[in-house]
Amino acid sequence: MHNNYYVFRQLSKELEAKISKTELLACFSQSRDELILGFSNVSGDFYIKASLLPEFSCLSFPNQFARTKSNSVDLFPEFIGRKVESIQQFENERCFAIHFEDNYALLFKMHGNRSNIIGFESEKAFELFRNSFPQDLELQLNELDRPIDQVKEAFFQFDGNYQKLFPTFGKLIKQYFQSIRLNEKELEEQWEIISLLESDIRNPNKFYTILWNDEIHFSLFKLGDIIKEEDSCLEGITQFYYTYSKENFIRKEKKRLAKQLEKQRNQSINYIKKSNQKLEEVLEKPGYNQLADILMANMHQIPPHAKEVELFNFYTNQNIIIPLKSHLSTQKNAENLYRKSKNQKIELEQLEASIKQKELELKEVEHKLSDVNAAEDIKSIKKLIKQNPQKERAQVELKVPYKKFEYAGFTILVGKGARENDELTLKFAKKNDLWLHAKDVTGSHVVIKQQSSKPFPPLVVEKAAQAAAFYSKRKSDSLSPVIVTPKKYVRKPKGLPPGLVHVDKEDTILVKPEAWWIETTKKN
């Protein structure tokens, strides 16, 4: 609930009281998904820490912050030295804006794994913190408000679908409603529960860090086990951030360590099981020395050049078939079996020793697993991490940024995403390779590799163009225009978002978007 509209309603009010009329003195990043803003006035300093990790985005407000001397970069330089004029909270939206003098604004768009911070000048977006979302440059501040008539009549009109009326409630409230089986109650009772809860979270008295369904949450109402309770939203969400970060680290590392140790345990169990089976199989069969004794005792009964012989086994009082090497004499066959017996004895001793060693390793792994399950603090987890370092892979799999297809002897490469498109075009494509892209829409870069100065066959170009159209926004069109040009005419000016390039010279062909390689694979 930390990235919830109702939370930001409270947060915006408290922020305005804290930073209105302050001056932005610092705006920098020390890691790719973290932005620090430092404000100052006569009352002191105030910091906003925006952690925008894809798996966890959250704001926090540390009392102080020490900037490192290295690996630190200044961002949004146009805002430095400007004073804060106001905070704008957008209605029914998970975003707010800090307005500065001279018509500058920083928009905090807290949309989970698509969270971003966008700089505006005169209502126009001009700079992004996370360049992987270039579409954020198209946002308009005056279009972000989302007014909704949240009245009882509308609730009944939607037949009790509260999510249409209160789309900003979020996952925690949805889970709470599921836990009380809201949808099984009469509509009148549902509305009463919903409206009471909405009133509580619209004007909360306390701010909670809770444990609910084995997960850490920030909440505006009492739910589950209360871990922290604060009077201020700023303090509450900061405590939540620290608690979640710590608990999430412990939980994530415990899971990783347990998985690593369980894999070792299963490997040891399987090794012991297979080795014992092998040991039993060997011990159940007559030993090579016994077979050799039987051969030597019956030399006169064995015809020359025999491939096998059936003899009485005086160790078991039953007949036994003994395979022979036909080009060797009976004595030489017996000598071979005596030699194998010595080797087999050594092998069995080694096998028994290996089983004992694996059994000791299994006990050690199970003891470590018990320690991992019992660990409850960061100190214990870090100690276990040190004791159980991750093993480096013997061979690191080469990751490539493209899909690879073959047609008529030519290789066709298709970029997997925006950043991968850049890597394909700028690092893997040569100047005389052919470059293709669906015209005027987002899509994959496609490259046909040149073959010893051979001309590109029209059919190969068509197939590559169909792939470019298929992996683009024109996938469902009946016909798609596709740019075709040698790669040497494609360049990437500095500052362009991932995946965007300039094409200096191009031809265009029309093709039907088609995944022809699927049929080709089936036929093969």
Side-chain angles (χ1 to χ4, degrees):
M1 197 174 185
H2 58 287
N3 287 336
N4 182 277
Y5 161 66
Y6 292 94
V7 173
F8 290 132
R9 285 184 80 252
Q10 304 302 316
L11 198 61
S12 297
K13 295 174 188 176
E14 293 186 21
L15 266 181
E16 181 138 34
K18 282 280 186 183
I19 65 174
S20 183
K21 308 307 178 187
T22 63
E23 185 178 335
L24 182 65
L25 294 184
C27 185
F28 58 92
S29 178
Q30 297 179 162
S31 65
R32 72 182 275 189
D33 295 304
E34 180 182 275
L35 184 67
I36 310 297
L37 297 97
F39 301 83
S40 184
N41 62 9
V42 291
S43 303
D45 296 335
F46 183 82
Y47 296 93
I48 299 177
K49 178 181 176 182
S51 300
L52 305 186
L53 292 164
E55 63 273 16
F56 177 64
S57 60
C58 185
L59 301 179
S60 58
F61 308 91
N63 292 325
Q64 55 185 1
F65 198 92
R67 184 173 183 175
T68 60
K69 293 180 180 179
S70 59
N71 299 324
S72 180
V73 58
D74 291 308
L75 295 172
F76 297 102
E78 297 85 356
F79 291 82
I80 301 300
R82 298 188 185 277
K83 287 186 177 180
V84 175
E85 290 187 339
S86 64
I87 308 292
Q88 180 183 6
Q89 173 61 51
F90 297 97
E91 191 176 354
N92 289 310
E93 259 300 346
R94 294 174 293 165
C95 54
F96 64 91
I98 302 176
H99 288 276
F100 294 81
E101 59 187 357
D102 300 325
N103 210 17
Y104 279 84
L106 277 177
L107 176 67
F108 286 72
K109 188 196 80 170
M110 303 303 293
H111 288 189
N113 60 6
R114 300 186 67 80
S115 293
N116 207 353
I117 298 171
I118 305 108
F120 285 80
E121 181 185 6
S122 300
E123 302 288 326
K124 182 172 176 57
F126 71 94
E127 187 173 354
L128 303 175
F129 174 59
R130 295 178 71 185
N131 290 318
S132 51
F133 302 115
Q135 62 273 26
D136 286 347
L137 288 170
E138 299 172 10
L139 291 173
Q140 300 289 328
L141 292 178
N142 59 5
E143 295 178 358
L144 291 178
D145 280 320
R146 189 164 46 150
I148 302 172
D149 192 16
Q150 295 168 329
V151 295
K152 184 177 180 179
E153 290 75 16
F155 178 73
F156 278 82
Q157 185 180 344
F158 290 136
D159 197 26
N161 188 343
Y162 71 87
Q163 293 180 76
K164 288 187 177 181
L165 206 58
F166 300 96
T168 58
F169 270 175
K171 292 180 181 178
L172 182 63
I173 293 177
K174 182 180 179 181
Q175 290 174 9
Y176 168 67
F177 284 157
Q178 288 172 344
S179 73
I180 64 171
R181 298 183 176 180
L182 180 74
N183 63 339
E184 296 178 12
K185 303 180 189 299
E186 295 293 331
L187 286 183
E188 193 75 40
E189 187 180 356
Q190 287 187 36
W191 173 252
E192 186 178 350
I193 292 170
I194 290 168
S195 56
L196 283 173
L197 178 68
E198 202 270 345
S199 177
D200 286 344
I201 64 176
R202 183 172 285 275
N203 299 291
N205 295 316
K206 299 285 185 180
F207 303 89
Y208 307 98
T209 297
I210 64 168
L211 180 66
W212 166 260
N213 289 340
D214 294 324
E215 290 186 0
I216 307 293
H217 297 274
F218 182 70
S219 178
L220 299 180
F221 65 106
K222 282 189 175 182
L223 182 66
D225 298 324
I226 309 298
I227 300 173
K228 299 279 185 183
E229 180 179 319
E230 301 291 343
D231 296 325
S232 154
C233 188
L234 288 169
E235 187 61 32
I237 204 165
T238 300
Q239 290 301 321
F240 160 75
Y241 173 77
Y242 291 139
T243 303
Y244 182 91
S245 297
K246 183 181 80 170
E247 296 297 329
N248 192 50
F249 171 81
I250 292 172
R251 185 168 60 250
K252 193 165 89 173
E253 288 304 313
K254 280 182 73 168
K255 186 177 179 181
R256 183 187 66 78
L257 285 167
K259 186 177 179 181
Q260 179 183 332
L261 291 168
E262 283 168 1
K263 183 179 179 181
Q264 292 176 25
R265 181 180 65 180
N266 291 336
Q267 287 174 339
S268 295
I269 290 171
N270 288 335
Y271 180 89
I272 292 168
K273 182 181 177 181
K274 288 179 180 178
S275 297
N276 277 323
Q277 286 175 347
K278 186 176 180 182
L279 194 62
E280 288 175 10
E281 288 172 3
V282 172
L283 293 175
E284 284 175 359
K285 293 178 181 178
Y288 289 121
N289 59 329
Q290 293 181 9
L291 297 178
D293 290 344
I294 295 168
L295 283 181
M296 293 301 291
N298 295 278
M299 287 183 64
H300 60 284
Q301 295 184 25
I302 300 169
H305 308 301
K307 292 183 179 180
E308 61 178 35
V309 64
E310 184 176 353
L311 299 171
F312 179 72
N313 182 351
F314 41 79
Y315 287 102
T316 62
N317 293 323
Q318 292 179 337
N319 281 1
I320 186 173
I321 295 175
I322 302 174
L324 302 171
K325 291 187 176 180
S326 58
H327 63 283
L328 297 179
S329 65
T330 301
Q331 186 170 344
K332 286 291 183 183
N333 271 299
E335 287 176 4
N336 278 345
L337 290 171
Y338 282 126
R339 186 172 62 255
K340 284 184 178 182
S341 176
K342 288 180 182 179
N343 293 338
Q344 188 180 58
K345 184 180 179 183
I346 294 169
E347 183 184 355
L348 289 174
E349 288 172 354
Q350 290 176 343
L351 193 57
E352 288 171 344
S354 295
I355 291 171
K356 287 181 181 178
Q357 180 61 35
K358 281 294 178 184
E359 287 172 342
L360 290 173
E361 289 178 12
L362 180 58
K363 286 182 180 179
E364 185 181 353
V365 167
E366 287 176 338
H367 179 72
K368 287 180 177 180
L369 259 173
S370 178
D371 288 344
V372 167
N373 291 329
E376 294 182 350
D377 55 61
I378 290 179
K379 186 177 179 181
S380 302
I381 290 293
K382 286 185 175 178
K383 184 180 177 182
L384 288 166
I385 291 171
K386 194 173 181 180
Q387 292 171 354
N388 300 277
Q390 282 186 291
K391 293 181 180 179
E392 295 293 331
R393 292 184 180 182
Q395 290 184 338
V396 179
E397 183 182 352
L398 179 63
K399 292 184 178 179
V400 292
Y402 53 75
K403 299 178 180 71
K404 183 178 178 181
F405 306 118
E406 300 287 338
Y407 191 86
F410 281 80
T411 299
I412 299 171
L413 309 178
V414 180
K416 294 179 179 179
R419 294 184 185 280
E420 290 83 357
N421 280 339
D422 282 353
E423 198 174 348
L424 168 61
T425 297
L426 303 176
K427 294 182 181 179
F428 287 85
K430 305 299 181 185
K431 67 177 184 178
N432 290 324
D433 292 341
L434 209 58
W435 186 91
L436 303 94
H437 192 284
K439 192 174 180 67
D440 298 330
V441 293
T442 57
S444 293
H445 294 193
V446 175
V447 170
I448 308 175
K449 299 298 292 180
Q450 190 189 38
Q451 283 194 5
S452 305
S453 301
K454 289 181 183 177
F456 295 99
L459 189 55
V460 172
V461 176
E462 181 184 343
K463 293 298 182 182
Q466 287 178 331
F470 183 82
Y471 285 108
S472 78
K473 291 288 186 181
R474 295 190 183 276
K475 179 180 178 180
S476 57
D477 292 358
S478 55
L479 281 177
S480 167
V482 175
I483 295 170
V484 182
T485 187
K487 186 266 170 184
K488 62 186 177 183
Y489 295 123
V490 181
R491 57 189 175 86
K492 174 108 179 160
K494 189 176 180 181
L496 277 188
L500 291 184
V501 293
H502 280 178
V503 180
D504 295 326
K505 184 180 178 182
E506 66 183 63
D507 292 320
T508 303
I509 62 173
L510 280 173
V511 295
K512 178 183 177 183
E514 192 173 295
W516 50 264
W517 52 91
I518 296 175
E519 290 300 321
T520 303
T521 305
K522 286 179 181 177
K523 289 176 183 177
N524 293 338

